[in-house]
Amino acid sequence: MANHHRSNSLPPSTHSFLSKLVLFLTILPLALAALAFVLQWRGGSVSDPTTATSRWAPRGSRREVFPGTETSSSLPPKYHHSSNCINLGRSSSPSFPYYGDWKFGFEDTGLAQILPWMFYHKVIGVTTFYLFVEGHAASPNVSRVLESIPGVKLYTKQRSLRSSKLKGQLPFRIWNETWLSSFFYKPCNYELFVKQSLNMENAISMARDAGMDWIIHLDTDELIYPAGASEYSLRQLLLDLPSYVDLVVFPNYESSVERDDIKDPFGEVSMFKKNYDHLPKETYFGLYREATRGNPNYFLTYGNGKESARVQDELRPNGAHRWHNYMKTPNEIKLDNAAVLHYTYAKFSDLTTRRDRCGCKPTQEDVKRCFILEFDRAAFIIASTATEEELLHWYREHVVWGDKDLRLKLLRKGILTRIYTPMAIIQALRESGVFSSAIANAPASLSRDKFMSSIDSSNSSRDVPSVSFSSRKIEEGENKASARKLLKIEAMAAEVAAVPPLSPPVWTDNDRSRIVERVAGGNSSIYTRFVVMMYSRRGFCSAT
């Protein structure tokens, strides 16, 4: 009571001071919090020692370098710091985990697509990659990143077929046989098809020498989807494959984009159109027109899938989609569940990038020399003649699935399907920093000797296999009768023509009887069905 009496007896000036002190102590933390919020909202004008090294280049910088290639003098003064930490946190961009504000320009090099493609296949069991690259993807900066990844064999020196033929630098056997000859000396997609076949022949020899069990040719816009196997494993998928099976066909599913602004197909596309081989015939033909939407075929591009081959003597490519054997007719099966996911024309920019790779005239006659498939021809003509606005309208009409009701109908009927697993795996790899680490751990520079050595090895890989494996010479003193018999067998096997990219069966009112006959005779009992599995004891390799 006495204390209370004394406090009430304090002078008015003391009461005023205490009130101001309490008000100051209340406002101070609020002001500091507001200041911190403003600084963060404005982009952090105060350098944070824990994140300074993640901003290795100023915003808007167009210098395309990789982590570790720059010197200290190349960095602005405010970016010099003793911290060696790298910000591997999530990126606001779904397409690639950039380091802070640093832009690499990977969209031009293809590395933003190659790394997710490669590490995804590592997750499902592929052990070795034979990468045949050209253009920006063959640049020294990209090469050093790819070569630093375990299991990657890189081949960068790709020439035009005509000049290579004149210089005698093409494999002898494959070039001098008739099964691929109908694709020779044609531009654009035909040349690509032949070049892929030549690379596949080289990859066979390398895979055989390395002790690989299986080989498959994939492009970097394709992902294997090992449905039907436990643990989502390609190795597990092939574990119980009978020993007499030589070839395994993976039917392809085609990406069906729902927007026209896709930047990262692997991370943004979840809807796919199922292959004819994985649909009831009544469903496929009954909904053919709705699934085609006025395009030339059921799929925009190819529909005959990709094939994996057991690595064995006398194996040869049979075009970019199939394999064959010089000495026998191989046993082939087709999988009921597993597929290759093909992300074709998934980005609007694919129209112009494909156009820019070909020097053909945008006429109906000339595009037939350049493109095997009808949609590619139509896309090239429109991309070469239309304005940007017209091209975007065409893309929305022919590629983008904007009709929600049609999407739902075809999803219910099984023509379209949702597949999320590859997206989830790649996103997990991205968030864990795998792609960023692959870049950061690459050597600071690719030495000239090593780069030239990689080029020389790519040259020798074209020559040696053609002698040691693909075009074995009959040694002197060998029985001539045996040699004639061997050549006769090889000639018979070589009659099987190369399998080009093919569209699925076509449905037309005028050709109904032919289609029904094709379905009944071509798909009823050709393939023995298996839930196939095979453990690759030595490895599984992919050539692209």
Side-chain angles (χ1 to χ4, degrees), residues 56 65-70 86 99 102 104 106 144 436 439-440 442-444:
W56 292 342
V65 291
F66 290 81
T69 60
E70 72 289 325
I86 297 175
Y99 286 72
W102 195 10
F104 293 113
F106 282 136
R144 68 178 182 79
S436 301
I439 300 169

Side-chain angles (χ1 to χ4, degrees), residues 220-433:
T220 54
D221 63 351
E222 297 170 329
L223 300 178
I224 297 177
Y225 175 57
S230 61
E231 303 176 3
Y232 198 78
S233 168
L234 181 59
R235 289 185 178 186
Q236 188 67 30
L237 180 68
L238 300 172
L239 180 62
D240 292 335
L241 191 66
S243 59
Y244 61 81
V245 173
D246 303 302
L247 307 174
V248 182
V249 177
F250 290 79
N252 64 294
Y253 290 7
E254 189 172 79
S255 61
S256 301
V257 299
E258 301 166 75
R259 309 192 322 268
D260 60 20
D261 60 347
I262 299 293
K263 302 299 182 186
D264 171 28
F266 293 160
E268 299 178 65
V269 177
S270 64
M271 190 170 75
F272 296 86
K273 187 185 290 186
K274 295 179 74 172
N275 194 285
Y276 164 79
D277 289 309
H278 285 180
L279 289 170
K281 289 184 279 291
E282 318 80 63
T283 301
Y284 176 83
F285 289 114
L287 295 169
Y288 183 86
R289 293 193 184 281
E290 291 172 279
T292 304
R293 299 188 306 149
N295 288 319
N297 297 104
Y298 174 78
F299 277 158
L300 300 182
T301 51
Y302 78 87
N304 55 332
K306 290 292 183 74
E307 188 170 57
S308 179
R310 191 188 297 275
V311 178
Q312 54 188 292
D313 289 345
E314 302 303 331
L315 179 68
R316 72 162 173 85
N318 196 33
H321 292 251
R322 291 292 188 271
W323 308 85
H324 201 65
N325 194 290
Y326 281 111
M327 297 299 295
K328 68 177 183 178
T329 300
N331 294 311
E332 178 186 86
I333 66 168
K334 187 175 292 187
L335 299 177
D336 279 334
N337 299 301
V340 166
L341 306 181
H342 186 203
Y343 296 78
T344 185
Y345 288 102
K347 297 187 293 184
F348 173 64
S349 60
D350 288 343
L351 288 172
T352 52
T353 54
R354 292 183 185 222
R355 174 201 65 194
D356 296 341
R357 288 199 298 262
C358 291
C360 298
K361 298 177 182 178
T363 64
Q364 293 292 343
E365 284 302 316
D366 206 49
V367 293
K368 292 179 181 178
R369 297 188 310 110
C370 298
F371 300 98
I372 300 171
L373 299 171
E374 292 181 66
F375 186 86
D376 288 331
R377 298 170 184 172
F380 179 81
I381 291 176
I382 193 71
S384 302
T385 58
T387 64
E388 185 80 6
E389 184 178 349
E390 291 171 338
L391 186 58
L392 181 59
H393 176 75
W394 187 90
Y395 183 76
R396 289 168 177 167
E397 288 290 319
H398 292 269
V399 180
V400 179
W401 288 77
D403 188 334
K404 183 179 179 181
D405 293 334
L406 180 59
R407 292 201 310 262
L408 290 175
K409 178 180 179 179
L410 297 185
L411 282 166
R412 292 190 185 104
K413 295 293 185 178
I415 295 283
L416 297 176
T417 186
R418 294 284 183 185
I419 298 176
Y420 295 101
T421 309
M423 180 188 299
I425 290 175
I426 290 174
Q427 183 63 22
L429 290 169
R430 177 179 293 118
E431 293 180 356
S432 66

Side-chain angles (χ1 to χ4, degrees), residues 62-97:
R62 298 189 59 84
R63 184 167 181 248
E64 298 179 1
V65 291
F66 290 81
T69 60
E70 72 289 325
T71 61
S72 59
S73 61
S74 66
L75 297 173
K78 75 173 187 176
Y79 293 105
H80 286 268
H81 200 275
S82 59
S83 174
N84 290 322
C85 298
I86 297 175
N87 179 11
L88 297 180
R90 297 187 183 184
S91 167
S92 59
S93 169
S95 59
F96 202 80

Side-chain angles (χ1 to χ4, degrees), residues 130-134 153-156 158 199-200 202-203 206 461-462 543-544:
Y130 301 130
L131 300 182
F132 298 86
V133 297
E134 55 187 5
K153 311 296 181 184
L154 190 66
Y155 303 91
T156 58
Q158 303 277 289
N199 290 338
M200 289 165 68
N202 290 331
M206 293 183 283
S461 70
R462 284 170 172 73
T544 183

Side-chain angles (χ1 to χ4, degrees), residues 407-536:
R407 292 201 310 262
L408 290 175
K409 178 180 179 179
L410 297 185
L411 282 166
R412 292 190 185 104
K413 295 293 185 178
I415 295 283
L416 297 176
T417 186
R418 294 284 183 185
I419 298 176
Y420 295 101
T421 309
M423 180 188 299
I425 290 175
I426 290 174
Q427 183 63 22
L429 290 169
R430 177 179 293 118
E431 293 180 356
S432 66
V434 169
F435 308 145
S436 301
S437 297
I439 300 169
N441 293 333
S445 63
L446 185 68
S447 69
R448 182 179 184 280
D449 292 341
K450 185 174 182 181
F451 185 58
M452 295 306 295
S453 147
S454 70
I455 292 177
D456 292 339
S457 67
S458 69
N459 289 340
S460 62
S461 70
R462 284 170 172 73
D463 299 329
V464 175
S466 64
V467 175
S468 63
F469 177 59
S470 299
S471 57
R472 294 175 179 172
K473 296 180 179 180
I474 307 299
E475 295 183 0
E476 295 183 6
E478 188 175 358
N479 186 285
K480 294 184 179 181
S482 299
R484 285 194 297 270
K485 183 178 180 181
L486 176 63
L487 292 173
K488 182 178 179 181
I489 295 174
E490 292 177 352
M492 292 174 60
E495 291 300 320
V496 179
V499 178
L502 297 174
S503 297
V506 177
W507 173 264
T508 63
D509 292 335
N510 297 331
D511 230 1
R512 180 174 183 137
S513 61
R514 181 180 64 82
I515 295 298
V516 171
E517 181 181 355
R518 176 176 178 179
V519 173
N523 206 47
S524 57
S525 60
I526 290 180
Y527 301 109
T528 304
R529 301 293 184 173
F530 293 94
V531 180
V532 295
M533 301 176 181
M534 169 65 187
Y535 175 66
S536 177

